[in-house]
Amino acid sequence: MPLNEELLSKFTQNERGDLYFEDKLIVRKDITNPEPVSNVQVSNITFNSVTVTFNPSPSTDVAYYEVSYTEPAGSPIETVKVTSAEPVEFTGLKENHDYEIYIVVVDTGDNKTERWYASFHTLSSSPKSTPNLDHASIEPRINEENQLYFLFNNFELTDSIDVYINEEFKQTVVVREGYLPNYFYGSTSEGQVITLKAVAKNNEGEAELSITTRF
C-alpha cells in the first residue's frame, strides 16, 4: 500500500512521543536520560590552556559528549563534541581567571544529562614578584579646567596603587589592563608644593615611588 494520506492518518503520537498505528503501540519513545560521566579531571593548567579528561558514561546508547568551559555562572564559551571519552584541550583562555567545566551526555534518542564537574583557575603569565618600578614614572598634568592630575606610567606587576599627598592617604587606584592608572587632585594655588607618594601593591609585596611638584 503506498504512503498516502489515508495510511498516514492511521499513525498517531502521544505527548511523550510514542508512535501508534490504529491505536496499537508500535514504537515507544526512549525518554530515559543517559548516565553521567565520572572521574572528571582538569590538568596541564597553564595561563591560557587546560586539558579535561573523564571516564565514559556507563549507558550503552551514548551518541556523543559535549565538553564545555564557562566563566562562573556563565554560558558556554567553547564546546567540543567527542564520540568517546578522549582528552579535550581548551586554549585561548584568559590568564589568572576562574573557569568551570560542564559535560553533557547525549544518547541516540537525543536525551541529555548535563552536569557541572570542575572549576579551575588559570595561571599568571608573569612570574610571581613584587611590583616592578624600574621604568615607572609619575607624570603631573593640568587639564583644560586648570586642574591637576597625575599619570602612573609603567607600573609593572601592579594590582593597585595607594596614593598619598604630603604623607596623607587619599585613594587606592585599581590597575586595570588597557587603562593608564591616574589620580585626580584638583585645583592648585601659586607657590603650593605637592609631594605625591605612590605605593604599588600586589599579592607578593609593594614598592614606592614619589614625586614633588611646585606651582
Side-chain angles (χ1 to χ4, degrees):
M1 188 176 188
L3 281 177
N4 54 33
E5 292 185 5
E6 181 181 355
L7 178 60
L8 291 174
S9 68
K10 298 179 183 294
F11 288 89
T12 58
Q13 272 187 312
N14 62 13
E15 291 182 356
R16 57 168 270 157
D18 299 333
L19 185 63
Y20 290 80
F21 181 75
E22 292 187 333
D23 297 328
K24 294 180 180 180
L25 178 65
I26 60 173
V27 177
R28 182 176 296 279
K29 181 175 174 61
D30 176 17
I31 60 171
T32 303
N33 290 334
E35 292 294 319
V37 301
S38 60
N39 194 31
V40 179
Q41 301 287 334
V42 291
S43 60
N44 301 327
I45 300 173
T46 71
F47 70 95
N48 68 348
S49 65
V50 68
T51 298
V52 181
T53 58
F54 59 94
N55 290 343
S57 164
S59 298
T60 58
D61 59 346
V62 173
Y64 57 89
Y65 304 94
E66 292 181 343
V67 185
S68 304
Y69 78 90
T70 76
E71 294 180 332
S75 301
I77 298 172
E78 182 181 352
T79 299
V80 174
K81 182 187 294 186
V82 293
T83 56
S84 61
E86 60 190 74
V88 175
E89 182 182 11
F90 292 110
T91 60
L93 282 64
K94 299 176 183 177
E95 66 174 284
N96 196 30
H97 204 73
D98 290 320
Y99 290 102
E100 296 178 347
I101 296 295
Y102 286 80
I103 300 180
V104 180
V105 185
V106 184
D107 67 17
T108 55
D110 204 31
N111 302 300
K112 300 181 179 181
T113 297
E114 180 178 1
R115 291 285 190 277
W116 171 92
Y117 284 103
S119 61
F120 65 96
H121 189 89
T122 53
L123 304 179
S124 173
S125 61
S126 303
K128 290 185 176 180
S129 177
T130 56
N132 181 3
L133 305 186
D134 290 347
H135 306 288
S137 64
I138 303 172
E139 181 182 353
R141 289 194 177 186
I142 300 295
N143 63 18
E144 295 178 353
E145 287 75 32
N146 202 33
Q147 294 177 317
L148 174 66
Y149 65 99
F150 295 87
L151 300 178
F152 303 104
N153 301 307
N154 300 318
F155 275 60
E156 299 175 355
L157 304 179
T158 300
D159 294 330
S160 64
I161 302 170
D162 286 351
V163 178
Y164 294 80
I165 298 295
N166 297 334
E167 296 301 324
E168 180 182 353
F169 173 76
K170 292 295 184 180
Q171 181 181 340
T172 297
V173 177
V174 177
V175 179
R176 295 182 174 87
E177 185 177 356
Y179 294 89
L180 183 63
N182 63 86
Y183 169 73
F184 178 77
Y185 178 85
S187 300
T188 61
S189 57
E190 185 176 353
Q192 184 177 3
V193 177
I194 297 174
T195 297
L196 183 147
K197 180 175 71 174
V199 181
K201 294 183 175 181
N202 64 17
N203 290 333
E204 302 302 316
E206 59 186 51
E208 295 183 10
L209 185 65
S210 297
I211 184 176
T212 298
T213 305
R214 181 184 296 274
F215 295 90

